[in-house]
Amino acid sequence: ASGRARELSLQAGFAPAACETTLSNGGIIDFGRMWSRSLNTDKETGLVSRSLLLSIGCDGPTHFALRMHDNRKGSATGGIDETAYGLGVDDSRNKIGRYFLYFDPFDLRADALPQVYRTDSTTGGVAWSSSSAYPIPIGSSSLLGFTALPGSNAGPTAIQNLSGQISVRAVLSPMNSLDLRTEVLLDGSGTIEIIYL
């Protein structure tokens, strides 16, 4: 009896370790009720910054970066800035203001690393800035990553767990540019995306 050879072909695709992001208070920042007379009439008003606890947990050590998406695109005041996100519009479609989401490496912890440094890429991860401990607002067209090494251009370190405080800084439009006949509601909304590298 003669046998016939059969070629065996094995194929597999390996996805990166999945990471999950959580924010304290369901990711909601409530500035409460403010009276227009306590805010600036003819210039912008900066609100006291508020903090959220960010936690990122991955199945294993993972090279990742973060990017922000503005769910109120086009409503940010102050010109084009990839780190400014909109607070929505009032009843007359006037822009209410903008906010920034700051990451301060001093407030972050990653695995057993003694210190966390931030590095960013404006080229989609092809090249990375020299890592530093200087705080930075997250952008919508740049990648924000984290490393254990200061002054490194090598990009993010593989991290399994990252956590710490991030701060929200909001700026309101001058009150005389808004329609105050009805209550003005801040309506900022953004999504933090994990980019696997």
Side-chain angles (χ1 to χ4, degrees), residues 69-150:
H69 294 276
D70 190 356
N71 298 334
R72 301 293 178 260
K73 202 166 177 68
S75 75
T77 54
I80 299 170
D81 178 350
E82 69 146 327
T83 66
Y85 305 98
L87 290 173
V89 295
D90 66 16
D91 284 350
S92 295
R93 310 294 299 162
N94 300 306
K95 296 176 182 180
I96 297 169
R98 64 189 178 280
Y99 70 94
F100 305 87
L101 191 60
Y102 272 84
F103 284 72
D104 185 341
F106 184 78
D107 293 331
L108 299 174
R109 299 287 170 266
D111 298 336
L113 304 182
Q115 190 170 345
V116 177
Y117 299 89
R118 61 97 182 157
T119 180
D120 48 291
S121 174
T122 57
T123 58
V126 176
W128 293 88
S129 69
S130 181
S131 58
S132 96
Y134 192 76
I136 192 173
I138 189 171
S140 58
S141 55
S142 300
L143 301 182
L144 176 62
F146 308 96
T147 177
L149 303 169

Side-chain angles (χ1 to χ4, degrees), residues 1-2 10 50 66 75 81 92-93 95 139 143 170 176 178 193:
S2 65
L10 298 178
R50 302 289 178 94
L66 304 177
S75 75
D81 178 350
S92 295
R93 310 294 299 162
K95 296 176 182 180
L143 301 182
N176 63 10
L178 298 176
E193 180 188 12

Side-chain angles (χ1 to χ4, degrees), residues 168-191:
V168 175
R169 301 180 194 175
V171 179
L172 301 183
S173 294
M175 290 300 103
N176 63 10
S177 70
L178 298 176
D179 181 354
L180 301 177
R181 292 173 296 180
T182 56
E183 191 172 24
V184 175
L185 300 174
L186 301 192
D187 186 30
S189 173
T191 303

